[in-house]
Amino acid sequence: MHPMLNIAIRAARAAGSVVARAFENTDKVEVEAKGKFDFVTNFDLEAEQIIIDTLRKSYPEHSIVSEECGVLPGKDSDYQWIIDPIDGTTNFVKGIPHFAVSIALKVKGKLDQAVIYDPIRGELFTASRGKGAQLNSSRIRIKAHKELSGTILATALPYKQKASSDAYFAMYQALFSKAADIRSAGCPSLDLAYIAAGRMDGLFELGLKPWNTSAGELLVIEAGGLVTDFVGGHNHSQNGNIVAASPRLLKEILTDVRPHLTPAMKL
């Protein structure tokens, strides 16, 4: 195992342990609204600090980008950790057992290591660039669907981008008419991990952040899939609009969403 992946796993398990205990004692969870339908809890902050401390202990000069703390510069900017201490905070707050710790590492701008840890199910998804993707140390591969028929897609309503809702629902309808089902579970990192593991078949979503998607993106790629923006490019880490699936399925998804894209979605 790559030594940096090993440290990331250590950080994810330590943070996940705190989050899982908190989930069993919800009276200790303090919730603060960052915005409309956007929450942070005291355990987001505690888990985040555990991850940062674990990473900094081994790699003190690396930079870090985290959902709650923002950018923490380091002397060695070639190495950048991207952290979401609880992806799916709303699920966590509402008592829904579907959330994860997400940690990714970029080396010179390229995704290199990834960990997504579901502390409730004890599932650890990992990937190293060029080395494949694993679930609890067993190799996983994406389902190589050739068409939308029979597939299950993941998505989420664009509650932070309601101005795009008409375009989104048009895309939803175009895909739903062909797919078996479309589901929204409230945790993008696990959506991507499930695609990598063959549990889901594709994802389309607006307005995600790098800490939601970076680890999952590497998992999908290393499991044999592709991740793009809505026009098939690689601007998703900037605009937050993401499509993920096996290569042939992704091509069909892009074909079906293209007629409904707004000018802003094409950037």
Side-chain angles (χ1 to χ4, degrees):
M1 182 182 293
H2 193 286
M4 292 186 186
L5 179 61
N6 194 39
I7 296 299
I9 290 171
R10 185 185 305 170
R13 286 193 182 278
S17 178
V18 168
V19 173
R21 287 199 302 271
F23 189 71
E24 296 174 356
N25 297 278
T26 54
D27 58 316
K28 296 181 180 179
V29 177
E30 300 169 6
V31 183
E32 180 181 341
K34 294 191 293 182
K36 196 173 183 179
F37 306 120
D38 194 6
F39 304 103
V40 62
T41 74
N42 51 322
F43 288 101
D44 287 85
L45 301 175
E46 183 176 345
E48 181 179 67
Q49 196 58 53
I50 288 170
I51 296 168
I52 291 170
D53 290 346
T54 303
L55 297 177
R56 282 274 165 91
K57 184 176 180 180
S58 294
Y59 305 109
E61 295 188 350
H62 290 187
S63 64
I64 293 173
V65 177
S66 187
E67 179 177 12
E68 309 306 338
C69 286
V71 179
L72 303 175
K75 292 181 180 179
D76 192 346
S77 59
D78 284 346
Y79 291 84
Q80 183 186 71
W81 295 92
I82 304 168
I83 300 167
D84 194 340
I86 308 178
D87 185 33
T89 297
T90 301
N91 286 347
F92 173 75
V93 168
K94 295 295 185 181
I96 300 169
H98 191 75
F99 46 84
V101 179
S102 179
I103 303 173
L105 172 66
K106 278 187 174 182
V107 179
K108 296 182 178 179
K110 294 182 178 181
L111 288 168
D112 195 74
Q113 307 294 328
V115 175
I116 295 174
Y117 180 52
D118 178 342
I120 300 302
R121 297 176 184 85
E123 292 189 328
L124 182 73
F125 298 87
T126 59
S128 293
R129 188 169 179 237
K131 302 295 184 181
Q134 295 80 35
L135 166 55
N136 290 343
S137 301
S138 294
R139 184 72 180 265
I140 53 177
R141 294 288 296 175
I142 200 166
K143 288 282 182 65
H145 286 279
K146 298 177 182 178
E147 58 185 22
L148 277 162
S149 177
T151 62
I152 297 178
L153 305 181
T155 191
L157 297 177
Y159 63 92
K160 294 182 182 179
Q161 297 187 356
K162 292 191 175 180
S164 301
S165 60
D166 288 345
Y168 170 82
F169 284 117
M171 288 186 276
Y172 187 106
Q173 179 60 42
L175 296 171
F176 185 63
S177 66
K178 296 182 178 181
D181 197 4
I182 301 178
R183 298 177 179 177
S184 177
C187 182
S189 63
L190 284 179
D191 286 341
L192 290 164
Y194 283 13
I195 292 168
R199 296 174 177 176
M200 303 284 284
D201 301 307
L203 173 142
F204 69 103
E205 194 162 340
L206 278 69
L208 293 175
K209 300 296 184 182
W211 45 80
N212 300 133
T213 61
S214 293
E217 178 178 349
L218 186 60
L219 276 163
V220 169
I221 292 169
E222 290 298 325
L226 293 175
V227 179
T228 73
D229 56 25
F230 282 180
V231 295
H234 300 285
N235 202 36
H236 50 282
S237 59
Q238 283 74 46
N239 62 29
N241 301 331
I242 185 171
V243 179
S246 64
R248 292 183 69 171
L249 183 60
L250 184 135
K251 184 177 180 180
E252 185 170 352
I253 293 172
L254 292 176
T255 298
D256 285 341
V257 305
R258 188 172 293 119
H260 311 292
L261 299 179
T262 65
M265 292 177 185
K266 298 177 182 179
L267 298 178

